[in-house]
Amino acid sequence: MMRRLALLVVLLFCQAGAWAHKASDSYLVVDAKGATIAAQWDIALRDIDFALGLDHDGNAEVTWGELRARQSDLSAWALSRLEIERGGACLLKVSSLQVDDHTDGGYAVLNITGECPEAAGDLALQYRLLFDLDNLHRGLLRLTLDGATHTTVLSPTSGKVQFSAEQVSRWAQFKQYLMEGIWHIWIGFDHILFLLSLLLPAVLVVRMRHWQGVERFGVALREVLWVVTSFTAAHSITLSLAALGLVSLPSRLVESAIALSVVLAAANNLWPVVEHRRWLVAFGFGLIHGFGFASVLAELGLPADALALSLLGFNAGVEVGQMAIVAAFFPVAFLLRNTRFYLRGVFVLGSWLTMLVALVWLIERAFDLKLISA
């Protein structure tokens, strides 16, 4: 059993590298007035380099000259992955190319113009920028169709999305961001490892310098609720502040601090410094994790009326996803708390592996290196 567990955690260690960096997103803003299309598409230079190979001299930096040299290839590649229809296919072209900085690095900015066959009716949009290379990639879309604003997150399962000139219902908008919040925490491996690192000792207690299982379910449940509630309260605060544009921190700093929080939470399981009141640790580092959650909404640039509802839905989705993880983990952990499998395998070995993975993330993010990441 222990050998199988060791093999499993080693495989997880290798796989975790693929989740080490901020998720790949592009930002597409489309303004459709009658038959005329005007759009701005921000695509990360690292994503373009991954798809087209921009770094000609291999120095790990993409210069303006290297980008300009591949402008026609970039335009053709991007337009082949975006379709807009209104009464038929709209003819799109890239009118200019610029660069801009987002919180997570440099982006190519493609300004696009187009004409559609019809000046009225529904508009259909199909987006598939990097879906053949990265199924975790997302397109964050803000579409204004004859004055009506629509926002959505485009994924490989979105297909061709239909938009009407009427305003989308608030309930539909809330549901969409609820699902995105759930998905965001489920693919946020660093957030999950931080939460699990705090929950692993929730079913244990230190006696005579040794971890032992708690005697009563209520004691363990109270510890879990304190940790989860504190983490929720903290990341809700900073998620709101960041999404509303009131506080902004560099993505590299936030992502590095999130990796550090996982290192410290796992290390505390192996060499306990904070044996009680782990909810304080959850609250303190939860503030940092909230900035990580906010990156999707903040970069989308939603109008004020849409932002409040999207923020509420996204935050609720994060909580639903988080509670699903706790519901799956906690009963099993309580049942196994006094077994060698849990004490030595899950708790000790799991904490070691978590700490090592997070250390690699920390080095990669702090120094912009690729050690185990794809």
Side-chain angles (χ1 to χ4, degrees), residues 25-349:
D25 301 314
S26 84
Y27 306 94
L28 178 61
V29 179
V30 179
D31 185 10
K33 294 180 180 176
T36 302
I37 300 290
Q40 177 179 314
W41 198 355
D42 291 18
I43 306 173
L45 291 176
R46 63 176 182 278
D47 287 339
I48 301 172
D49 184 39
F50 179 57
L52 300 180
L54 293 178
D55 187 14
H56 182 69
D57 57 11
N59 66 349
E61 294 182 1
V62 176
T63 65
W64 172 242
E66 289 171 328
L67 182 64
R68 282 291 303 273
R70 300 293 303 278
Q71 181 173 351
S72 58
D73 295 334
L74 169 60
S75 299
W77 173 70
L79 292 180
S80 70
R81 287 149 193 270
L82 176 66
E83 296 173 8
I84 300 177
E85 299 177 2
R86 196 173 201 187
C90 305
L91 297 178
L92 304 176
K93 66 177 182 180
V94 176
S95 58
S96 65
L97 173 65
Q98 300 170 304
V99 292
D100 193 11
D101 287 326
H102 287 235
T103 58
D104 59 330
Y107 278 65
V109 179
L110 281 67
N111 294 299
I112 298 172
T113 58
E115 287 292 324
C116 302
E118 300 289 343
D122 292 349
L123 182 146
L125 185 145
Q126 184 159 18
Y127 172 103
R128 50 178 181 274
L129 181 65
L130 283 168
F131 294 157
D132 57 335
L133 301 173
D134 179 5
N135 61 10
L136 297 181
H137 172 76
R138 293 293 183 271
L140 307 183
L141 170 68
R142 175 157 56 94
L143 166 69
T144 304
L145 179 57
D146 295 335
T149 300
H150 305 260
T151 60
T152 192
V153 180
L154 301 163
S155 69
T157 60
S158 296
K160 185 180 294 184
V161 184
Q162 296 282 341
F163 299 94
S164 74
E166 298 178 356
Q167 291 286 358
V168 67
S169 75
R170 292 182 179 276
W171 172 241
Q173 185 181 350
F174 176 85
K175 284 197 299 181
Q176 180 181 5
Y177 279 91
L178 177 77
M179 296 306 298
E180 287 303 325
I182 295 173
W183 174 254
H184 190 73
I185 193 166
W186 283 357
I187 66 171
F189 204 58
D190 44 7
H191 303 304
I192 294 175
L193 281 186
F194 175 73
L195 187 61
L196 290 179
S197 295
L198 294 179
L199 294 179
L200 281 174
V203 296
L204 303 176
V205 63
V206 177
R207 293 193 181 97
M208 304 295 290
R209 295 188 175 183
H210 294 286
W211 289 100
Q212 299 177 14
V214 295
E215 295 180 356
R216 292 181 298 168
F217 183 82
V219 174
L221 180 60
R222 186 167 59 246
E223 177 71 12
V224 169
L225 292 178
W226 269 108
V227 168
V228 172
T229 303
S230 300
F231 185 59
T232 297
H235 71 61
S236 296
I237 292 171
T238 45
L239 189 158
S240 302
L241 291 175
L244 293 170
L246 299 177
V247 179
S248 177
L249 294 178
S251 174
R252 189 168 168 181
L253 174 63
V254 171
E255 297 299 322
S256 299
I258 289 174
L260 177 62
S261 74
V262 181
V263 172
L264 295 179
N268 190 64
N269 293 342
L270 301 170
W271 304 285
V273 175
V274 181
E275 296 181 12
H276 307 286
R277 298 184 178 181
R278 275 187 288 270
W279 63 270
L280 288 173
V281 177
F283 185 87
F285 284 117
L287 295 171
I288 298 297
H289 283 249
F291 285 109
F293 292 144
S295 60
V296 172
L297 296 179
E299 294 279 11
L300 191 52
L302 295 169
D305 58 338
L307 181 56
L309 193 62
S310 303
L311 177 60
L312 181 62
F314 190 84
N315 209 0
V318 169
E319 305 319 319
V320 171
Q322 181 176 289
M323 292 310 298
I325 294 170
V326 173
F329 166 80
F330 177 61
V332 177
F334 185 79
L335 289 174
L336 299 176
R337 69 193 185 283
N338 286 314
T339 64
R340 179 179 173 83
F341 170 76
Y342 187 83
L343 292 170
R344 301 293 299 173
V346 178
F347 184 68
V348 174
L349 188 57

